[in-house]
Each structure stands twice: as C-alpha cells, then as structure tokens.
C-alpha cells in the first residue's frame, strides 16, 4: 500500500519511492503491522506500552482482501457533474450541492482507510456508513441521508466560525472526529459524549488544519464502529442500527479532496 508521505515528508527514509512494496502509514499510534482482521482488532486496541507518543502504526494493505477504490466504485446520488470529480484514485469535491456520493455496493463488516484535506477554512464533510437505499432513493439536492452513521470531517476553523456567527461556544460538536447516528438511525456512543449524549466525542485532538492531509481509519464490525484519526483511536459506538448499507462521501458546502481510499470487507 502507498505511504502517507504527507505525514512524514521530513523523514527521507519513509518516502514512497524508497519502499519496495505499497504501505499505508497511520501516524502517532502503537507500532504494529496488522494482517488478518483478528490481528487488527487485537493490536489496534492495545495501549502503547512504551509510553512514547511518537510511534508509528502501519497497515499492510497488500494483505488479502484490501482494494483501492476509485471513481468506478462510486455512484452520484444527488449532486451534479462537478460535485465529486475523480482523477484516478483521487477526487475533488466542490461541496455543492449538499449531498452524498455512494459506493456501488453495500457493506456490513469492513475496514476503511481514507485521506482527506479541506481546501478552505471551516470546511465540513464526512463519511456515512451503513446508509440504506431507502435513505438515498429520490434524495433531492441539498439534502443529506436521514439514516446512517456519520463519521465527521470538520476543519479546525469551524468552531471559530460558529462562535462568530452565533456568539456561542461550540459545545455540541468538535473538529477531531465526532461519530453520531443520523436521523432514523441509532447508536450507543462511546464516551466522552457530547452534552446531549448523542455524539461520541473524540478522546484526543489529532486533526490537522485545512490545507493539510488527514487520514481516517474506520472499522465497522457487527454494529460497532470505531475511528482512528491520524493513527490514534478517538471515537466510536456500538449497537448501531442499521449495521449494513452503503458507504457515502459527503458534500457539505466546502471544497475537499479525497485520496488513498482503501477498503477491506470482513466476514
């Protein structure tokens, strides 16, 4: 799998061209290589016993089952021909109109790795997991699905913009990887929680600002979903309903780029 060179550009020995095979690097987590799904579950959840806050977690997506997604794997739902434009395995999202682009297939148990970068301050986007077709059929422009689990991608300036426009502090959301059930869906969020108990707030602040790449690793198994932001597990929830459906890339008003989208479906 490809190296996330944007995170380690200053480390010459980690440059993509220097590696004999493809690797994906998730920054600032426990140092381990994940092979089969059981190994992924076992090691990704273990604490870093060394106590170091500068270590590397590596996912070998040359392992069986991983595949890289591109425009041929997605279908426009309620956008236009500029909402999400693919350039090979990288996509530029205009943010307009508000809506989603879905995978051509449904998933139940899965691992997803995706890099994203907001192009302007206060950008808003995300990935929806387990969205049923009933929430996508006939969805008009400038509407988001009313069912699914959202893994939010929010720029660090969003809170500042919210305060400037409302005069209130941004207490009900963060910019570091909130997860929450949308509309008709339900989920038991992992703590820490938002004040209303609806969102799983991140336990660490590891998001990079607009103009810089971030990487999400999302794992959904039997109705439980977990998120790692730039290598650190931060949020999640269990007892998700629905726990099967489409993955969707969100358009929500601001330009964004996606790349290095890798998926492994699990038993």
């Amino acid at each position: 799998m490809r190296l996330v060179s944007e995170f380690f550009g200053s480390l010459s020995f980690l440059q993509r061209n220097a590696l004999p095979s493809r690797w994906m690097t998730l920054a600032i987590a426990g140092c381990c290589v994940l092979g089969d799904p059981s190994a992924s579950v076992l090691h990704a959840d273990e604490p870093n016993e060394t106590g170091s806050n500068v270590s590397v977690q590596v996912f070998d997506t040359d392992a069986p089952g991983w595949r890289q997604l591109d425009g041929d794997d997605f279908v426009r739902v309620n956008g236009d021909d500029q909402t999400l434009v693919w350039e090979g395995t990288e996509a530029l999202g205009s943010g307009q109109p508000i809506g989603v682009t879905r995978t051509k297939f449904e998933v139940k148990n899965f691992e997803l790795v995706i890099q994203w970068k907001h192009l302007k301050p206060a950008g808003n986007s995300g990935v929806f997991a387990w969205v049923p077709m009933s929430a996508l059929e006939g969805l008009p422009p400038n509407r988001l699905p009313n069912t699914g689990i959202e893994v939010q991608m929010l720029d660090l300036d969003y809170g500042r913009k919210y305060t400037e426009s409302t005069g209130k502090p941004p207490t009900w959301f963060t910019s570091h990887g909130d997860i929450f059930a949308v509309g008709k869906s339900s989920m038991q969020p992992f703590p820490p929680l938002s004040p209303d108990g609806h969102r799983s707030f991140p336990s660490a602040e590891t998001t990079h600002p607009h103009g810089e790449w971030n990487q999400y690793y999302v794992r959904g198994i039997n109705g439980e979903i977990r998120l790692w932001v730039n290598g650190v597990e931060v949020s999640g929830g269990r007892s998700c309903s629905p726990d099967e459906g489409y993955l969707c890339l969100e358009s929500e008003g601001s330009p964004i780029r996606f790349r290095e989208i890798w998926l492994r479906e699990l038993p």
Side-chain angles (χ1 to χ4, degrees), residues 166-178:
T166 66
K168 301 177 182 179
T171 58
W172 60 274
F173 67 89
T174 84
S175 295
H176 295 280
D178 296 7

Side-chain angles (χ1 to χ4, degrees), residues 27-43:
I28 321 174
C31 182
C32 59
V33 176
L34 305 184
D36 58 47
S38 61
S40 174
V41 173
L42 175 63
H43 296 295

Side-chain angles (χ1 to χ4, degrees), residues 187-189 193-200:
M187 181 187 78
Q188 295 180 14
L193 305 180
S194 59
D196 66 359
H198 180 63
R199 294 182 176 220
S200 174

Side-chain angles (χ1 to χ4, degrees), residues 152 154 156 174-178 202 204-207 216 227 229 234-235:
Q152 193 162 61
L154 207 60
L156 299 182
T174 84
S175 295
H176 295 280
D178 296 7
E205 297 183 353
T206 60
T207 303
Y216 276 9
L227 170 66
V229 178
V234 298
S235 56

